[in-house]
Amino acid sequence: MAAKKPIILAVDDDPQVLAAIARDLRQEFSQDYRILRVNSGPEALTTIKELKTKEEPLALIIADQRMPDLEGVELLTASRELFPDAKRVLLTAYADTEAAVRAINSARLDHYLMKPWDPPENLLYPTLHDLLAAWQASHKPKYDGIRLIGFQWSPLSHELKDFLSGFMVGYQWLDYETSPEAQELVKAKGFEPTDLPLVICVDGKAVPNPSKNDLAEHLGIANKPQQDIYDVVVVGAGPSGLAAAVYGASEGLKTLIVERQTPGGQAGTSSRIENYLGFPTGLSGADLAFRAWTQAVRLGAEFIAPQEVTNLCIQDGYKVLTLTNGSEISTKAVILTTGVSYRTLDVPGMDRLSGAGVYYGAARTEARSCDEQDVYIVGGGNSAGQAAMYLATYARKVFIVIRGANLAASMSAYLIEQIRNTPNIELLPHSQIKEVCGGDHLEAVMVDINGVVEKRPARALFVFIGAKPSTEWVCEQVICDGKGFVLTGRDLVTDPRYSQVWKKDREPYLLETCVPGIFSAGDSRAGAMARVASAVGEGSMAIKFVHQYLDE
């Protein structure tokens, strides 16, 4: 949303003089400022009060001295209470010069101008340009986007920050406990601290304690399918799901993608991906996901979120997906790109402090709150390394806790080198977190380092300890291995345990599950490579097999 232009207010009871000053102001300043004109002191004061109520930016007031009911000096003095930073200029005749000079001190005028000001190029514009430049230098424009007011250690506030960040929605975070502006806004909107978190939308509507579905509705994100039957439904909007949606939509398939959280999946939480083809300087996971999501929607794919698929069954040859709200979606083919979720760290205090200093893959969202504090990262994979590099920009010290001796076995070489060259990142090998401590938020961690347990202060703990497939809801319909990863392709016919399950005359396609027309791609598929490029490739390939299945 474009910021409103600042205002220059001209006040004079003489219509000819007012028209002349307004004309000259528009000629020079209308590109960057809105010019308002008022023909009396009382009316001008009313206008200034309205501007204050509407939170309009008032940059400069230029008022004539000799006006009935309210003289220029009185008007400019009164305006100081409402707009203390606005520049004030008195327009005066030669006879009133002495009064104008006195008013510079008494009314704190910034300048006075003599009538007539012809030519304005010499007698008007230079002075006003200087004053407006000084105003711009100190002016802080009002934020016109979404504002999220809450408590720093509130798990729901953290979830909403993650949700907005995941959709690349700009927002202003205001901590109620430390921000007078937040306290004033909550009171002005008629709410109490118990109603927090509070989301104030661009249109001014305030939504207390919103769910992610409520927030999605106010952001204009669809959460209901628009058609009765689709050619293909993609379940999950990680890199593989987004790639499938892009290719499906671009090739004319009626494509729907369903995401339970935000685009990008686990990759979307990565603060920096530097080994993805075509981006030599790297990009964030959220940026990559947003680009892909935008591309898919532009090509015609439907996207609904946050919605979760809870069941999948076959009816009359169609695949029927049931959502958490009870609605059903019918489709000819399904691509499962459900991805993986971070494994939880099972130590005392984790459940109680989750979202209040303890986070799973939330480095970008909470990094600024860690300014000049000590933070801990558990895990030695690429996600942990990317988080460490990002957090090091803000935190005093970043400690990486790993069980092994070094990072070589699990992290890319480029990240290991970056970490080695970052002075405020310290690796703690042969270590593990034994407990997290704190009242309503994390305050310290108990770390076992080579058998010696230490209690260390910590602002935040970020956990990246491997992943498990998000396939619990579908394992009754398709065959998964012992760890929950979906089996596809020749794995179904070469393993004697499953050879009788496949009933078709042809072999299953490379990414096809034991149910014809249901495919799996990305990290939740057995044998998949946990890399963004690989996931994108599989999602793209899956559409080829969908075409072959639909042509049978």
Side-chain angles (χ1 to χ4, degrees):
M1 181 177 179
K4 296 176 181 177
K5 288 183 179 180
I7 293 167
I8 297 175
L9 178 64
V11 189
D12 200 306
D13 65 318
D14 186 324
Q16 291 184 331
V17 175
L18 184 61
I21 188 70
R23 177 200 64 215
D24 289 342
L25 291 172
R26 278 196 299 271
Q27 181 176 318
E28 183 70 7
F29 300 103
S30 60
Q31 184 173 345
D32 300 313
Y33 297 87
R34 287 179 289 160
I35 313 302
L36 299 183
R37 60 180 190 177
V38 178
N39 59 13
S40 76
E43 184 182 348
L45 194 56
T46 300
T47 299
I48 291 170
K49 291 178 180 178
E50 291 175 353
L51 295 176
K52 180 66 175 179
T53 300
K54 296 177 181 178
E55 298 183 86
E56 299 274 5
L58 179 60
L60 183 144
I61 310 168
I62 181 168
D64 185 53
Q65 166 60 10
R66 291 200 175 186
M67 295 187 295
D69 301 322
L70 193 65
E71 290 187 338
V73 170
E74 295 173 322
L75 170 64
L76 295 174
T77 301
S79 71
R80 287 187 62 250
E81 294 184 10
L82 300 170
F83 288 94
D85 297 326
K87 299 302 180 182
R88 284 169 284 278
V89 176
L90 189 68
L91 197 59
T92 182
Y94 180 79
D96 296 320
T97 302
E98 186 178 343
V101 172
R102 288 198 303 268
I104 289 177
N105 293 326
S106 62
R108 297 187 187 179
L109 298 185
D110 295 288
H111 210 279
Y112 72 90
L113 291 172
M114 301 286 292
K115 294 187 289 187
W117 55 86
D118 189 50
E121 291 79 7
N122 295 333
L123 301 178
L124 178 66
Y125 298 154
T127 297
L128 297 190
H129 272 300
D130 287 345
L131 292 174
L132 291 170
W135 179 83
Q136 288 280 11
S138 61
H139 173 61
K140 184 178 180 180
K142 172 182 171 288
Y143 182 76
D144 287 328
I146 291 174
R147 284 175 284 191
L148 172 59
I149 303 172
F151 298 101
Q152 176 61 44
W153 305 116
S154 159
L156 180 55
S157 294
H158 166 68
E159 286 182 22
L160 296 178
K161 284 191 281 186
D162 253 4
F163 185 79
L164 290 168
S165 298
F167 280 98
M168 297 288 280
V169 175
Y171 69 95
Q172 181 185 47
W173 162 250
L174 297 171
D175 185 349
Y176 183 83
E177 291 182 316
T178 60
S179 170
E181 180 186 357
Q183 295 163 12
E184 290 177 10
L185 278 169
V186 170
K187 184 177 181 181
K189 294 294 182 180
F191 293 104
E192 299 292 335
T194 52
D195 297 313
L196 301 182
L198 180 71
V199 174
I200 302 177
C201 302
V202 175
D203 60 5
K205 181 176 178 60
V207 187
N209 281 312
S211 67
K212 287 185 284 189
N213 274 302
D214 293 334
L215 194 51
E217 182 179 342
H218 286 286
L219 294 175
I221 300 169
N223 61 5
K224 296 179 182 178
Q226 302 300 309
Q227 302 183 51
D228 295 328
I229 297 177
Y230 293 87
D231 293 320
V232 60
V233 172
V234 183
V235 184
S240 56
L242 290 168
V246 166
Y247 279 88
S250 68
E251 294 176 15
L253 298 177
K254 290 183 180 178
T255 305
L256 172 69
I257 185 166
V258 182
E259 170 55 43
R260 63 178 179 175
Q261 295 179 353
T262 56
Q266 195 177 64
T269 66
S270 294
S271 53
R272 202 75 184 163
I273 300 172
E274 298 192 55
N275 57 357
Y276 187 65
L277 183 68
F279 294 89
T281 60
L283 77 169
S284 71
D287 189 20
L288 178 63
F290 185 76
R291 287 169 183 249
W293 170 48
T294 304
Q295 187 178 18
V297 172
R298 180 181 66 83
L299 291 169
E302 277 186 46
F303 183 96
I304 59 174
Q307 279 290 356
E308 188 169 359
V309 180
T310 59
N311 190 46
L312 169 61
C313 63
I314 311 298
Q315 292 181 5
D316 301 324
Y318 287 96
K319 286 74 179 169
V320 180
L321 302 168
T322 304
L323 304 181
T324 47
N325 61 8
S327 62
E328 295 183 341
I329 303 170
S330 296
T331 179
K332 300 173 185 176
V334 172
I335 302 176
L336 301 172
T337 56
T338 54
V340 294
S341 56
Y342 288 111
R343 294 189 182 277
T344 57
L345 183 63
D346 187 17
V347 300
M350 287 295 293
D351 291 341
R352 183 172 56 84
L353 297 177
S354 180
V358 171
Y359 307 106
Y360 291 90
R364 286 182 61 84
T365 305
E366 299 297 339
R368 292 185 183 276
S369 69
C370 301
D371 190 43
E372 294 301 316
Q373 304 285 325
D374 289 352
V375 301
Y376 285 77
I377 292 174
V378 182
N382 278 3
S383 294
Q386 290 158 355
M389 290 302 302
Y390 188 77
L391 287 164
T393 306
Y394 303 93
R396 188 191 74 85
K397 193 84 171 181
V398 179
F399 296 94
I400 302 178
V401 179
I402 59 171
R403 291 176 180 265
N406 55 57
L407 297 168
S410 55
M411 189 178 292
S412 296
Y414 80 92
L415 268 174
I416 295 174
E417 185 64 21
Q418 289 179 358
I419 289 170
R420 184 181 295 121
N421 294 326
T422 305
N424 64 329
I425 298 179
E426 182 179 338
L427 183 67
L428 300 179
H430 304 297
S431 303
Q432 55 185 308
I433 300 294
K434 303 299 288 184
E435 184 179 353
V436 293
C437 312
D440 62 347
H441 66 276
L442 179 70
E443 297 173 11
V445 293
M446 302 293 290
V447 191
D448 182 333
I449 305 174
N450 284 311
V452 178
V453 178
E454 300 178 10
K455 184 174 185 179
R456 295 184 167 199
R459 173 72 173 191
L461 173 70
F462 298 90
V463 181
F464 303 88
I465 55 171
K468 59 180 180 179
S470 303
T471 56
E472 302 89 350
W473 63 276
V474 78
C475 281
E476 292 184 4
Q477 287 77 27
V478 299
I479 296 175
C480 300
D481 66 13
K483 296 181 179 179
F485 292 92
V486 180
L487 295 175
T488 59
R490 289 193 58 79
D491 287 344
L492 296 168
V493 293
T494 56
D495 191 321
R497 292 175 298 173
Y498 312 125
S499 58
Q500 301 302 313
V501 176
W502 183 256
K503 302 298 183 184
K504 276 192 165 284
D505 295 335
R506 63 169 176 83
E507 283 194 357
Y509 298 122
L510 180 63
L511 301 179
E512 196 168 23
T513 69
C514 64
V515 180
I518 298 179
F519 303 86
S520 178
D523 290 356
S524 60
R525 188 182 71 84
M529 181 185 295
R531 289 291 184 269
V532 174
S534 174
V536 169
E538 288 194 8
S540 308
M541 289 168 54
I543 293 299
K544 173 190 174 183
F545 299 129
V546 168
H547 277 296
Q548 292 178 334
Y549 169 76
L550 294 178
D551 289 341
E552 290 178 355

